[in-house]
Amino acid sequence: MTLRVLLLAGAAILPLAASPALASDTTADTAAPADQATSVGTGQSDNDTIVVTARRRAETAQDVPLAISVVGGDHIDATGAFNVGRLQQLTPTLQFTSSNPRNTSVNIRGLGAPLGLTNDGIEQGVGIYVDDVYMARVASSTFDFLDVKQIEVLRGPQGTLYGKNTTAGAINITSRQPSFEPEGRIELSAGNLGFFQAKAALSAPLSDTVALRIAGSLTDRRGTIFNVTSNLKVNSQDNLGLRGQLLWKPSNGVEITLAGDYSHQNPICCTQVYVRTGATQRPLNRQYDALAAAFNYAVPSTNAFDRVTDVDSPLRARNDIGGVSLRAKIDTGIGTITSVTAWRYWDWDPSNDRDFLGLPITSKSNNPSHQDQYSQELRLSGETGKLGYTLGAFGFYQKIRTRGIQQQGSAASRWLIAPSNALSRDPTVLDGLTANNDINFKNTSAAIFGKFIYKLTDSVSIQPGFRLNYDKKEGSYNSVVTDGAGNTLLFKSDAAGKSLNTARERAQLAVLAPQSFLANFSDWNFSGDVTAAWDITRDVHIYATYAKSFKTGGINLNGVPADAVTGVPLLDLATIKPESVNHYEVGIKTQFLDRKVTFNLSAFRTDVSNYQAQVSNFAVGLIRGYLANADKARSQGFEFDASFRPSERFNIYGNGAYTDAKFVKFTNAPCSPELSGGTAQPLDANGVPTGPTAPAGTPGVSPAQCDISGSRLPGVSKWAFSYGAEGNVPVTLLGKEGQVYLGFDGSYRSSWSSNASPSAYTNVDGYALSNFRLGFRTEQGIDVFGWVRNAFDVNYYDQLAVAPGSTGLIVGNIGDPRTFGGTVKVTF
């Protein structure tokens, strides 16, 4: 901690910007240079503009014929939205769920990535870009934003504009760039829960042609949950970020930027807490209440919002990410050539407690992972006569190595083996049972893409785009299982398929099973889009878009289901098919009352065939989560962005989304936890199925698959809103002329499903959050304000999950309680 504070102080590095504001597609007549982009609510004049680079060129947000939300660095700073998880409170169409950095999903309009356990072998549907560099691992979204100028959230397929194909949207993060005018920013914040945050940045010329910018941030906060076992506050924050950029401008029209960054997290994290129990198809003596009674065990509280736990495995979420990029922009007679070369790495070193209880059931469940990625993008953007164009080529290579371990503890036998089996009373049967998993993955991708703008008239344009994409994936999965004495366990069977394993071995293999396979996937696809845009007046714009897009296929690298007797993996489940996406959208963007009012509206429908869905069978072992294709999914709805700025003393905004996202056809889905844990056949004393299949509807019977067609997709609310206002009055305070301001920002999300298959146990209730700030700022760059977030101390869940074992235990990630503090910022 001391070393990091010294680094920040010595480097004099930066915050995320001065005064509060949300840019919601605000605009003016013409595009200003990118470094002049400002946000609604900062006290700027009515002629200021929001300039975006969503289409790889500087344009005003209001002129761009696509659904885009822009959040300025000022507003990020004022609201404490310093990572993607908090950004979703400002952008209603964005959904973020995370049980730890690796198991994180970021979706737009309910589409993007399956909710649940991360699988190394699949792609994101939402691309995250920082200064044109694609971040392949969604874990990058859990880091603090660093020296950010603005963030653009683009909705809908973006493959014809961006290097990596993204079918649901993109988050385009632009950092502040080196300048030839000396400038600096320093910000210090402190609050309850031991919260401390420092941000700083310094930019200065080194010569007439070279400029340097260095930036950094530090965030510390103790946890919000007390662990009575370790006597520690857990789910804390401990983040460090550093970035350096060197700009060389040898002549007009040539800019070359070398950038490097490093981010580190090492919190005491992450655990979920007891929420409730619900009946499953397990016999009653194998459900949670009976099992807990057998151990004379009780959780420290059955009220999740008492914020206590008793997990007995150490918690760690060490997360490192960094890289280097070289970006060159050269103006030529035919347009601007942009080259972006990048290498990035990601190291993940966790320690988890996956039984979520103070019992030694699963003592280890960790998947340390390392990734290297290399990317090269080359683009040409220009305009000639009535034709504007962007043409690009993209190459990408990724390597991932994950070496996981799962180990059972001394309570596992009683908890996981049927009480009718005498082995359940022998703790040595499962104590020390260990699966060591070795996962290797290689991903090669290449594409050419382009977007054209042809002006039929001064006000009407047709904008087609295309993408030709090649993807190749190679993966291997190898899980070696040993018992507590270190003996390797294998499936044994005779020629007739009868098990030759002992009863003890069968009980062990039913919990952790060895498995090994190789899988690969490769495919070409061609996709494209077309947009028709009409500038009815200088302040009224309408557009209509159709896009055909693909999300590449993948490999299941968390293990796949296997034959219960022979252990032979079902390799037809080792790969998943590509998603095929048809997207339709219409929108209108307007300004009126001398551009004091902005109102934008869009309606969309996205049809997905072979939707890549998360499957969970609630097992303890390696196949508790894997991927499968649902026949069809659909997301449709409408969105609006509105703002009103009657004077420089007041502004108000409101954004909203209605999203109807559901499985249109998914007949072979996993069943809900209510239907889990049973069997389709009678079992003998060792848990081996015998006899004919029991009829459907028999108590204790779990269907092999369920038809969940028509149910909503997990992770997305039907209704979501963000809203806020700020007012200020001029004052002179301590001899300084400035403004006293009062700001409010709120958000609301209706209920949503937190499980792959609908379940009454895992529906998250809707909630509204309210944040306030009161401060004083001057034109000389001083800003001092106090803030309170979740002001009404609303109890809410970030996510609910089904604990493994089909015991009926439901656990949850709980949202932050009320927090408050103060911030001092100086810009010079």
Side-chain angles (χ1 to χ4, degrees):
M1 169 75 176
T2 303
L3 176 60
R4 285 180 285 170
V5 172
L6 289 173
L7 282 171
L8 288 173
I13 348 183
L14 153 36
L16 291 180
S19 44
L22 175 65
S24 198
D25 287 357
T26 24
T27 164
D29 285 349
T30 57
D35 61 0
Q36 295 178 8
T38 55
S39 304
V40 176
T42 59
Q44 80 273 25
S45 71
D46 293 338
N47 290 327
D48 285 338
T49 60
I50 299 298
V51 176
V52 299
T53 56
R55 298 199 300 171
R56 303 312 196 191
R57 63 184 71 206
E59 302 171 284
T60 62
Q62 202 68 5
D63 291 337
V64 177
L66 57 83
I68 177 174
S69 296
V70 186
V71 185
D74 293 340
H75 200 61
I76 291 169
D77 191 27
T79 59
F82 53 81
N83 59 30
V84 174
R86 296 194 176 199
L87 181 66
Q88 72 168 342
Q89 296 180 20
L90 304 178
T91 53
T93 57
L94 182 68
Q95 296 90 37
F96 175 94
T97 56
S98 178
S99 57
N100 62 43
R102 185 172 187 262
N103 290 324
T104 297
S105 62
V106 177
N107 288 348
I108 292 175
R109 295 171 170 171
L111 303 174
L115 182 66
L117 295 173
T118 293
N119 198 307
D120 290 341
I122 64 167
E123 301 276 327
Q124 301 177 86
V126 175
I128 299 175
Y129 296 84
V130 179
D131 294 334
D132 283 354
V133 177
Y134 173 69
M135 306 289 174
R137 296 310 298 246
V138 75
S140 62
S141 67
T142 66
F143 287 103
D144 291 357
F145 296 141
L146 180 58
D147 199 17
V148 167
K149 176 184 172 181
Q150 70 182 33
I151 298 176
E152 303 159 14
V153 179
L154 291 72
R155 285 123 45 194
Q158 303 298 326
T160 63
L161 284 167
Y162 284 76
K164 202 74 175 75
N165 191 29
T166 52
T167 55
I171 300 173
N172 187 32
I173 301 172
T174 303
S175 65
R176 295 186 176 93
Q177 299 298 301
S179 64
F180 287 92
E181 293 293 330
E183 65 171 273
R185 300 165 180 266
I186 299 175
E187 174 187 316
L188 296 174
S189 299
N192 66 326
L193 300 176
F195 176 75
F196 173 74
Q197 189 172 68
K199 305 174 186 176
L202 178 66
S203 186
L206 301 182
S207 70
D208 291 341
T209 58
V210 178
L212 172 70
R213 188 178 191 94
I214 53 176
S217 69
L218 168 70
T219 303
D220 255 57
R221 193 192 74 180
R222 67 173 178 263
T224 57
I225 297 172
F226 181 66
N227 187 350
V228 299
T229 300
S230 65
N231 204 34
L232 294 172
K233 288 278 191 175
V234 300
N235 289 13
S236 60
Q237 295 176 358
D238 183 4
N239 305 343
L240 170 70
L242 299 170
R243 175 187 288 134
Q245 298 177 87
L246 191 66
L247 170 65
W248 180 39
K249 296 184 70 173
S251 62
N252 289 333
V254 178
E255 295 183 7
I256 299 174
T257 304
L258 177 66
D261 66 276
Y262 169 73
S263 296
H264 171 77
Q265 293 177 327
N266 194 23
I268 305 172
C269 190
C270 302
T271 192
Q272 297 166 294
V273 299
Y274 175 101
V275 173
R276 63 174 71 97
T277 60
T280 71
Q281 295 301 308
R282 286 262 191 225
L284 289 177
N285 63 0
R286 298 196 66 189
Q287 296 193 39
Y288 177 83
D289 289 341
L291 292 170
F295 284 95
N296 195 27
Y297 170 78
V299 292
S301 175
T302 56
N303 180 359
F305 296 102
D306 284 342
R307 299 179 184 272
V308 293
T309 186
D310 63 346
V311 294
D312 56 337
S313 294
L315 298 177
R316 182 177 66 253
R318 183 184 174 96
N319 200 21
D320 291 294
I321 193 166
V324 178
S325 67
L326 182 67
R327 181 172 57 177
K329 297 180 70 174
I330 304 172
D331 292 336
T332 71
I334 58 172
T336 299
I337 297 174
T338 302
S339 172
V340 184
T341 307
W343 162 75
R344 299 202 62 77
Y345 77 94
W346 174 60
D347 272 319
W348 168 238
D349 181 17
S351 179
N352 303 304
D353 191 317
R354 282 298 179 211
D355 56 52
F356 309 106
L357 300 172
L359 292 171
I361 303 167
T362 300
S363 56
K364 294 181 181 179
S365 181
N366 312 323
N367 286 289
S369 189
H370 177 83
Q371 176 211 259
D372 285 288
Q373 70 168 71
Y374 307 85
S375 61
Q376 172 64 56
E377 184 167 350
L378 189 65
R379 297 192 307 270
L380 170 65
S381 297
E383 187 173 338
T384 174
K386 295 184 176 183
L387 179 66
Y389 51 87
T390 295
L391 296 171
F394 179 77
F396 176 80
Y397 179 70
Q398 175 189 40
K399 295 189 300 181
I400 303 174
R401 180 76 180 272
T402 300
R403 296 180 175 179
I405 183 172
Q406 179 158 326
Q407 188 173 84
Q408 305 308 129
S410 58
S413 295
R414 180 67 184 86
W415 197 268
L416 300 174
I417 299 175
S420 58
N421 187 338
L423 295 174
S424 68
R425 295 181 288 279
D426 180 356
T428 67
V429 175
L430 296 185
D431 190 18
L433 181 70
T434 303
N436 285 286
N437 307 323
D438 190 1
I439 302 170
N440 285 275
F441 177 69
K442 295 180 181 179
N443 180 12
T444 303
S445 179
I448 56 174
F449 58 95
K451 187 73 174 180
F452 303 93
I453 303 174
Y454 183 73
K455 294 182 179 180
L456 299 175
T457 69
D458 289 341
S459 60
V460 177
S461 63
I462 297 293
Q463 304 178 16
F466 75 93
R467 181 182 190 86
L468 178 63
N469 209 88
Y470 172 75
D471 290 285
K472 180 181 180 181
K473 294 180 170 67
E474 302 170 274
S476 65
Y477 180 89
N478 185 40
S479 179
V480 177
V481 177
T482 55
D483 64 16
N487 301 309
T488 300
L489 291 175
L490 298 172
F491 285 96
K492 305 168 189 174
S493 59
D494 60 20
K498 182 179 179 181
S499 175
L500 299 178
N501 291 102
T502 66
R504 184 184 182 96
E505 290 172 338
R506 288 199 297 271
Q508 294 167 334
L509 292 169
V511 175
L512 295 179
Q515 188 173 108
S516 181
F517 63 85
L518 301 174
N520 60 78
F521 171 89
S522 63
D523 195 16
W524 289 86
N525 63 66
F526 182 83
S527 57
D529 56 38
V530 61
T531 297
W534 180 19
D535 302 328
I536 299 175
T537 71
R538 69 190 280 267
D539 290 332
V540 179
H541 314 271
I542 63 174
Y543 66 91
T545 296
Y546 167 74
K548 176 69 173 178
S549 185
F550 293 88
K551 181 181 175 185
T552 183
I555 301 174
N556 263 312
L557 290 179
N558 285 352
V560 296
D563 184 276
V565 176
T566 65
V568 175
L570 304 179
L571 291 182
D572 57 335
L573 298 176
T575 58
I576 53 172
K577 300 174 184 177
E579 291 183 354
S580 178
V581 178
N582 285 285
H583 174 76
Y584 314 85
E585 185 163 337
V586 294
I588 182 170
K589 296 186 173 187
T590 67
Q591 288 179 292
F592 47 93
L593 295 182
D594 196 24
R595 297 196 168 183
K596 292 181 172 64
V597 176
T598 298
F599 182 79
N600 301 326
L601 181 67
S602 61
F604 67 92
R605 176 174 173 135
T606 306
D607 294 312
V608 186
S609 298
N610 292 321
Y611 176 80
Q612 295 170 2
Q614 180 75 22
V615 171
S616 178
N617 58 6
F618 313 112
V620 173
L622 74 163
I623 56 166
R624 64 178 182 267
Y626 61 99
L627 293 168
N629 291 107
D631 291 321
K632 291 183 181 179
R634 185 204 68 206
S635 178
Q636 63 183 7
F638 62 86
E639 304 153 347
F640 72 87
D641 304 287
S643 65
F644 177 42
R645 185 181 186 80
S647 75
E648 64 180 13
R649 300 294 169 212
F650 180 74
N651 70 81
I652 185 170
Y653 71 89
N655 308 319
Y658 170 79
T659 308
D660 176 23
K662 69 178 184 180
F663 293 108
V664 176
K665 185 180 181 182
F666 196 4
T667 57
N668 59 337
C671 296
S672 66
E674 290 93 327
L675 295 175
S676 71
T679 178
Q681 296 175 302
L683 302 180
D684 65 17
N686 296 316
V688 176
T690 63
T693 301
T698 304
V701 170
S702 291
Q705 298 170 332
C706 287
D707 185 349
I708 62 170
S709 303
S711 64
R712 59 179 173 169
L713 294 178
V716 58
S717 300
K718 276 198 171 184
W719 293 98
F721 301 96
S722 63
Y723 39 84
E726 183 185 293
N728 66 77
V729 294
V731 298
T732 300
L733 188 63
L734 299 177
K736 298 286 187 180
E737 293 185 358
Q739 301 171 350
V740 169
Y741 60 90
L742 174 65
F744 163 75
D745 297 279
S747 63
Y748 169 77
R749 290 182 182 271
S750 64
S751 65
W752 53 280
S753 171
S754 192
N755 191 63
S757 296
S759 169
Y761 303 156
T762 55
N763 280 338
V764 178
D765 292 335
Y767 58 88
L769 301 178
S770 301
N771 306 324
F772 295 89
R773 60 188 179 275
L774 175 66
F776 172 74
R777 60 181 173 236
T778 71
E779 291 186 1
Q780 289 74 37
I782 298 173
D783 192 1
V784 181
F785 63 96
W787 44 265
V788 57
R789 293 162 189 150
N790 189 8
F792 302 112
D793 203 20
V794 173
N795 290 330
Y796 67 100
Y797 294 107
D798 283 327
Q799 186 177 358
L800 295 176
V802 181
S806 294
T807 66
L809 175 61
I810 307 299
V811 296
N813 293 87
I814 51 179
D816 283 350
R818 179 194 296 120
T819 58
F820 53 86
T823 298
V824 177
K825 299 190 296 181
V826 179
T827 304
F828 54 91

